Every structure is written in structure tokens, then in C-alpha cells.
Amino acid sequence: MTRLLTAGLAALLALFTAFGALALDAAEPAAERTPAYVVTDDGVPDYEVWDQVANRAERAIEQNRASDKVLDDLRLELTDWRNLFSEAQKENSIRIDTLKTQLATLGPEPETAGSEPAVLTQRRSELTTKLNAARLPVQEAEEAYSRADVLISKIDTLMRSRQTDQMLALGPSPINLVLWPKAFTDLKTTLDLAVAEVRENWGSDAQRRDLRADLPVTLLLLVVSILLLTRSRAWIMRLGNKVRERRRGSARGVIGFLVSIGQVLAPMIGIFILMVALNLAGVLGLRGQVIADLLPWFGFSLFISLWIGTRLFATESGGAPLIDLPRAALRTEARVNVALLGMLLGLWPILTNLSKHEGYSSGTFAVLSFPAILATGYLLMRMGRTLRRNIQLQSDGDVKTFRERAVLLMGQACAAVGIAAPVLAAIGYTSLASSILFPMVLTMGVIAVLSLLHVFLIRVYGVARKLDEDEADQALLPVLMTSVLVVLSLPIMALIWGVRPTELSELWATFQQGFQLGEARITPRTFMIFALIFGIGYVATRGAQSALRSSILPKTRLDKGGQNAIAVGVGYLGIFLAAVIAITTAGIDLSSIAIIAGALSVGIGFGLQTIVSNFVSGIILLIERPISEGDWIEVGGQMGYVRDISVRATRIETFDRTDVILPNSDLVSGVVTNYTRGNSIGRVIIPVGVAYGSDTRRIEAILREIAENHPMVTVEPAPAVVFQGFGADSLDFEIRAILSDVNYMLSVKSEINHEIARRFVEEGIEIPFAQRDIWLRNPEALTDATRTSGATGNDPDKVDTPNKNTMSKMLTVDDMDDAGTDTGVGEEGDD
């Protein structure tokens, strides 16, 4: 499995490398273009030539009569000049910094003339003159750069305005029957000319000789291309099914995805072979060549749509489809709709390019393009209905998850665009209809590919971590990787919706310039260098902390609190040094942002004063170490063990195993009781009560013996027994003992109490409990009440002589109040 997965990924990498090489080869002529700027013999920009170019650009923008091609060329020329001026701004940078440093060493210029020595004044004047001379080329380049930047912005604005006007232009309506004869005549003329060109090429003797010479190769290429175009997809599908049958779990999905890519690659290879065969045959004319040049796009659009439809809606042996429709007929319909959308998307550029080549009128183009727009809109509307139906069936009308809301929104957008585009085209807004319809189809295709890649990444993660698909679906890494792919697809989305490549390049150039912070400029390169150096320093710091905690500090005589303080201090120091080194390496001048940092610190000081107070308190705790990890403390009514001391707060684990987070400032400014500071020795006090009449000396001896015999009680100092006094119910004693480990206080108390109870039973010593006697001042009132309440009984004689228990049960507070009774409490400890 691992070898097959590695081979598949290597094949993908090789494929992307090949396409990248082809793209570089295609872009190579543009890279070799001669720059449009002019420099002098000294390598300085020729500002006279620049003025001429700038004046020409300003006239072209003001007159607004230049074509789009002329404006594009002019913008490219201005971009070359602007890049030259950007490099010229760096001239004399070392010399300027040196002169600034020299002037700074002379100190500030005095306010009154003659207050400093003449030598210093003359030297200051010389350095200032040299600094101004060194700055002059830079200032000229900055002024020219600003002018070029403004002109480029004006051209972009003009091009966008033209693009908008062209898109919103009202043209002929394709449902106007008057335009149909002319459109059909133009189309027939194009087909007749294309056939005539083929016949003319075929009738040439030289062409026939070349064809006969290349006939074996041409026929072989035609046969191979036809096989790849007609049979390769079926072969790849069978291969994928056989490979998936041997796998289980997420591995089936990974293998299925990798093999399924061949369903696009193999037919595309067939198309390229077909183009080679047609070029060898040499029978294509000008119009045939226009169509042949767009065959790769048509093939890619068709086969990628077939692949997307298969992956989205077909039930595979390797798992459920991404969009699970309830019936097979619906899945088949969805796959057909996706394939037809891809075919129409591939035909649209052929139609538009052929129209431009033939010079069709706007009426002819509107009539010929309307069927394609109508069919694409209908299919897109059906796809929107399929998506909405799927979500409604899955969620039972209650849409909750993000995926469900996103799919429902896409379905509604597809339906809306599918209806609006044909209506706009029928009115005469053909350009507007095509500008929203086909980009919508492309957008849905990109979203579908991203969704399939997300599922693929989840399965790859599951195979790598040996997780099932449900567990891998909950992982964070595949989501982050998909988010990166979404961000990378944003430029493609922008190009799809009509953003010109020059605008994207301008946006990228602006992004690369960064932003100004004081006199320092923060660029993406600066940020990447800072992040890389700081990340290395952070990892090294954490490694050093781990080594200190696990290998070095345990071998010293420091206690646990001291070890933790050193490790945390090394962490703070390492992060601080990493930040300083990263800032210095990135070339950020801290002095240039000192004023801004000072201003921000005031606001931050007010807004984060509590956090800063806790941070400083944390530093104090680590330095003074009044508490350490593992200490038993009590603060603010909370008692427990210190488990962690961080920058902002300290975590305490209470005896019921709950964590209490205390701000460090409370530990510094509040009252803290540390039961185990420095050592674990502590005192336990156990109160004991005995009945009155007991021998106090005997009691003292027994309690002392019990305390001395406990193994946790220290010998020196010895335990003490104190006769505290005469209590309300008992004679009160206390055992006061020092424990070798105060953490066992509760268990020691329990064991000593058990021993006291046992010894007192053996010695016949009574442990009293509280008793209360109630004396009634006028019991005759209760006797009358008892007689009255018992009159309904069978034995009225018992009313005259109620016993004590009967009276106790009948006596209530209300009866006592009504009878005017007075209670006196007598206490007897021995009864």
C-alpha cells in the first residue's frame, strides 16, 4: 500500500513538473522581452525619455481613443519604468546611512548660531551637503515612481470602465427573426470556406507527397488517439475497481482517486496526439486551425466534467459518493448534466474565437450564441435543483451544518443564474449573460474539484495515521490543507470572473511592497524571515527547557520550585532573544518605530494593565519563590496543591480534584498560607472530650501514649496533651503533635481517633454526648389540653395520667405559647 501510494504521488508530482516546464517554455518568449526603459551610460534612468513616455501615456488616457491592445502595451512599458525607478530608490543607500550616522555623532544642531565651535559647524555643513547630494537621485526616482504608479492606476481604471461598458452594452435580441437568415448565411459561408480550405490543401501535389511520406506515422497516431479518446476511460475505471477490491478502509478511496485521474490524463494525451496527427496531415485551413487550437481546452473541459460527475454522483465500491442522491436515475441524470455543461463550456471559446476570426456582426453572434446560452442555463438550473433537493432530503428541511448551507446556497445561485442568463441574452445583453453564466459554471467546477481534494486529503490522512474515515474527518490538518488550497484558488476565481492578469500582478506587487511602519517597511519577505528565525529560536528554547527539566536540573540539589523557576526563566529569556535576533536579521529598525511603540504602549498599558500586573507578579513569584509547584497553600478561601505557575496565573488543585486558576497578582498582594514551604513538617490538633468524673491524669497518659505510638508523629518535639478546660458537656483535652509529613494530616487524625475510641472502651472511659431536660412551669394547662384532645378515645381515664412520652409527642411550640409555659434547660453531662 505504501509503495503504491508513493508511486501515485510521484506520478502526480512528475505530471505537475511536466506541465510547469511547458508553462515555463510558453512563458519564455515573454521573459526574453526587451525592457522598455532607457538608462544612461552610468546606469541611471534617462529621465528625459521617461518624460516623453509619461506625456504620451497622459495624452492616451485623456483622449481615451487608444485600443485595448495599445493600452496594454503602454501599461507594460510603464511597469518596466516603474520597476526601474524602484531599483533606483535603493541607490546610495549605504552612503546615505553612513552620512546620517556621521551627522548623528555631531549631535543636534544648536538653536543659536555661534554656540558651537566653528570646526563642528563647518563639518556639519559639509556632511549635510554630501547627504543632500546623495539623496538627490533617490528623490528623483521616488518622484518618477509615483508618477508611473499613478499612470498605471489610471490605465487600469480606464480598462475596467471599458470592460464594464462592454459587458453592459445592449445589443440585438437573438429572438428577433429578422436576424436569423443573416446568421445562418454567415455560418454556412464559414463552413463552406472551411471545407474549401481542406479541399485546397488536399489537392496540392506537395501536400499529398508529404502526406504519403508521413502516412504510417499519421495513421498510427490517429489509431492511438482514437483508442485513447474512446476506450481509455473504461480501461482506467476497470483498473481502479480491481485495485480497490484489494484494499480496505480509507486506502480504497485514496487508490481510487489516484487511479481516476487517469480518466482525464489518458484522453488528454489522445487529444494532443490527434493534434500532432492533424498537423502532419496538413489538411487544416485557417478556420480549421482556429478550431484545432482550442481542441485541448474542449477536451479538458469535457473529460474533467466527466471525471467530476463520476466522483460526485457515482456510487463506488470504495465508498459513498460525495453527493448521494436517493435513486440511480437521479445520479445518472446528474452525471449527464455535468458532462453536457463541460461540453458547452468547451464549445463556447471555439464559438467566440471563430466569430472574431470571421468578423461576425453582433446580430449574427447573438443568434449563434443564444442556443449555447439557453442550453447552459437550463442545465445549470437543473443542477441547482439537484443540489437543493439533495440537501432538503438529507436534512429533512432543517439546514444546520455549514456544508448543508453552502450547498444549498450554491444550488440557489445556480438556479438564479440559469434563469437570469437566458433572459438577459433574449433581451439583447448577450455579453452580460455570457459574463455571468460561463464563469458560474467554471466556479462550480473549481468548487467541486476543491471538495474532491478535501475528501482525498482526509483519506490520505486516515491512511497515514491509521484512522478510519470518520475519525480522519474530524482531524484539523486536512481542514487546514484544504483552506490553503482555497486561498490558492482565489486568483483563479478572480480570473474566471473577469479580473485581468495585469490587475492581479498589480495586486501582488502591492502586497510585496508591504506597509510602512514609521521609517521601517514591513514586507512579506521581511515577515517570512522574522517568522523563520523566531520559529527556530522558539523551538530551540523549548528544546533547551525540556533538556533542563529532564536531564540537567534533576541532577542538581535544587528543589522542584527552583528547577521550575530556572526552566521558566530560560524560556522567557530564549523567546526574548529569539525575537530580538529575528527582528535584527529581518532588517527592521527598532529605532524607527520607537515613537509608534511608545504611543501604543500607553494605550496598551491602560487596556492590559491587569494582564501586565499578573505577568509581573508571575516574574516575582518565580524569582522570590514564596510558593513552588507541589506546595500546599491556602489563599482567598481556596486550599490545595500548586500544580503550575504560568505567566499570568497559577493553577491550584483542590482536595476534591478540581482546578482553581488564581491570578498571580492575588498571590503577591494577598495573604497566602503555605503549609509546606521549605519542608513538609506540620502540626495536627485533635480535640477529645470525656465525661465528667473521669480521671484527668489517666486520660492525659492514655492520649500521650496513643500519640507517641503513631509512626507519623515526631519524637522531637514530642507530642503534648493539653487539658483545655471544663466544657458544657465534657472535660476537654487536645492532642498536639508534630507530623513528619503534614500532607497526611487527615489520615493521621482518623487513625488516632480510631485508637482513642478503642482504648476508651477498654478502659471504661465514657465519651459524653449532649442531653437536654425540659421543665414545665404549669403542666396543668397541658393536662387540660390532653384531656380535651383524648375525649374521643375509648379509655378517658388515661387522660388524667399522661406519661412522659405522650406529653413529649403532644407538646408543640404553639401549645407551650398558648399555655403560658416557661422552659428551663438543665444540662447533665453524665445522665
Side-chain angles (χ1 to χ4, degrees), residues 28-63:
E28 187 175 356
E32 294 177 354
R33 182 181 60 84
T34 304
Y37 55 79
V38 179
V39 296
T40 62
D41 296 337
D42 298 333
V44 180
D46 193 333
Y47 290 101
E48 293 183 359
V49 177
W50 159 244
D51 286 337
Q52 297 174 5
V53 174
N55 293 332
R56 176 161 54 88
E58 290 173 351
R59 289 193 300 270
I61 295 172
E62 291 174 356
Q63 295 172 3

Side-chain angles (χ1 to χ4, degrees), residues 491 501-514 524:
T502 53
E503 292 179 315
L504 286 181
S505 62
E506 187 70 19
L507 181 61
W508 177 249
T510 303
F511 174 74
Q512 286 184 316
Q513 290 177 2

Side-chain angles (χ1 to χ4, degrees), residues 70 74 102 329 428 441:
V70 172
L74 184 58
Q102 289 178 299
V441 176

Side-chain angles (χ1 to χ4, degrees), residues 200 300 333 537 694 703:
E200 181 180 357
F300 178 77
E333 177 187 349
S694 302
L703 294 178

Side-chain angles (χ1 to χ4, degrees), residues 11-21:
L12 281 178
L13 181 60
L15 177 66
F16 293 152
T17 304
F19 280 129

Side-chain angles (χ1 to χ4, degrees), residues 274-412:
L274 177 62
M275 292 182 62
V276 173
L278 293 176
N279 290 330
L280 285 176
V283 295
L284 296 177
L286 294 177
R287 292 161 182 82
Q289 192 63 42
V290 170
I291 298 175
D293 290 341
L294 292 172
L295 275 181
W297 166 250
F298 174 79
F300 178 77
S301 177
L302 175 61
F303 293 115
I304 195 70
S305 63
L306 289 171
W307 178 75
I308 290 174
T310 303
R311 301 298 300 181
L312 288 180
F313 300 103
T315 302
E316 308 174 277
S317 58
L322 189 61
I323 300 178
D324 190 11
L325 297 178
R327 297 195 303 273
L330 293 177
R331 293 194 293 270
T332 302
E333 177 187 349
R335 292 198 303 272
V336 172
N337 290 339
V338 173
L340 291 176
L341 281 173
M343 184 180 66
L344 290 171
L345 186 63
L347 288 174
W348 181 254
I350 297 177
L351 178 60
T352 55
N353 283 18
L354 191 61
S355 175
K356 291 178 181 178
H357 182 271
E358 295 298 310
Y360 289 156
S361 64
S362 58
T364 299
F365 180 73
V367 172
L368 296 179
S369 62
F370 184 69
I373 294 176
L374 183 62
T376 305
Y378 173 74
L379 294 173
L380 191 62
M381 181 186 64
R382 291 184 65 86
M383 284 303 305
R385 186 183 65 178
T386 300
L387 294 176
R388 288 185 287 117
R389 181 186 301 173
N390 174 64
I391 292 300
Q392 291 171 356
L393 290 175
Q394 289 184 352
S395 61
D396 296 330
D398 187 12
V399 180
K400 295 181 179 180
T401 65
F402 170 78
R403 176 184 176 276
E404 293 175 349
R405 289 195 297 267
V407 174
L408 183 61
L409 180 61
M410 287 188 293
Q412 294 172 348

Side-chain angles (χ1 to χ4, degrees), residues 249-267:
S250 299
R252 303 180 67 181
V254 173
I255 297 299
F257 184 89
L258 293 176
V259 175
S260 68
I261 296 177
Q263 300 176 22
V264 180
L265 296 181

